[in-house]
Amino acid sequence: MREENVRQILQIVNGKLPEEKVIALKSKLETASDDKVDAIMCASLYNPTHVLLFSVFLGGFGVDRFMIGDAGLGVAKLLFGWVTCGIWPLIDIFISYKKAKEKNFNKLMTLL
């Protein structure tokens, strides 16, 4: 892939991927063919900041887990989150933010 396309993709995904995995994505992009550019540019990625905000304000209802595609955990959190006296939603604030970034990285790697 051309260097210009690699730079442009890395700008688009800035902040939406785990920092330690950006180098792995860059090396994978450099070896990928140019026909993958459109698929990567059009990929819908989760915004970790939005996931974090939903986790803080609506996390007790499992909305953050539904947003990132973990419907099973979202239902479990909705039904049984109160059993943990608010500990599960509190811990999940940090987990769901990282999970959104991981899912973005995995989605891009499958497209490549």
Side-chain angles (χ1 to χ4, degrees):
M1 190 176 296
R2 294 184 316 206
E3 182 65 30
E4 173 187 322
N5 291 337
V6 172
R7 260 188 282 117
Q8 189 175 19
I9 290 170
L10 289 175
Q11 274 186 329
I12 290 172
V13 300
N14 186 25
K16 295 182 180 179
L17 299 176
E19 295 298 321
E20 65 273 3
K21 302 219 175 166
V22 172
I23 295 170
L25 177 68
K26 183 177 180 182
S27 65
K28 187 84 169 179
L29 285 171
E30 289 170 347
T31 60
S33 62
D34 283 331
D35 60 333
K36 306 253 184 198
V37 173
D38 290 333
I40 295 171
M41 294 282 207
C42 295
S44 62
L45 300 176
Y46 303 113
N47 189 335
T49 307
H50 292 162
V51 173
L52 179 66
L53 289 173
F54 274 98
S55 185
V56 168
F57 294 110
L58 297 172
F61 300 111
V63 175
D64 54 340
R65 288 295 184 159
F66 287 115
M67 278 183 69
I68 60 175
D70 291 341
L73 281 175
V75 170
K77 192 174 172 183
L78 176 64
L79 296 176
F80 302 111
W82 61 274
V83 174
T84 63
C85 298
I87 294 172
W88 185 3
L90 181 66
I91 292 172
D92 220 23
I93 290 172
F94 304 103
I95 293 174
S96 60
Y97 180 76
K98 291 178 183 177
K99 186 81 167 180
K101 287 186 170 193
E102 280 293 324
K103 286 195 174 232
N104 287 338
F105 176 74
N106 292 336
K107 185 182 287 188
L108 289 176
M109 291 308 267
T110 56
L111 288 173
L112 290 174

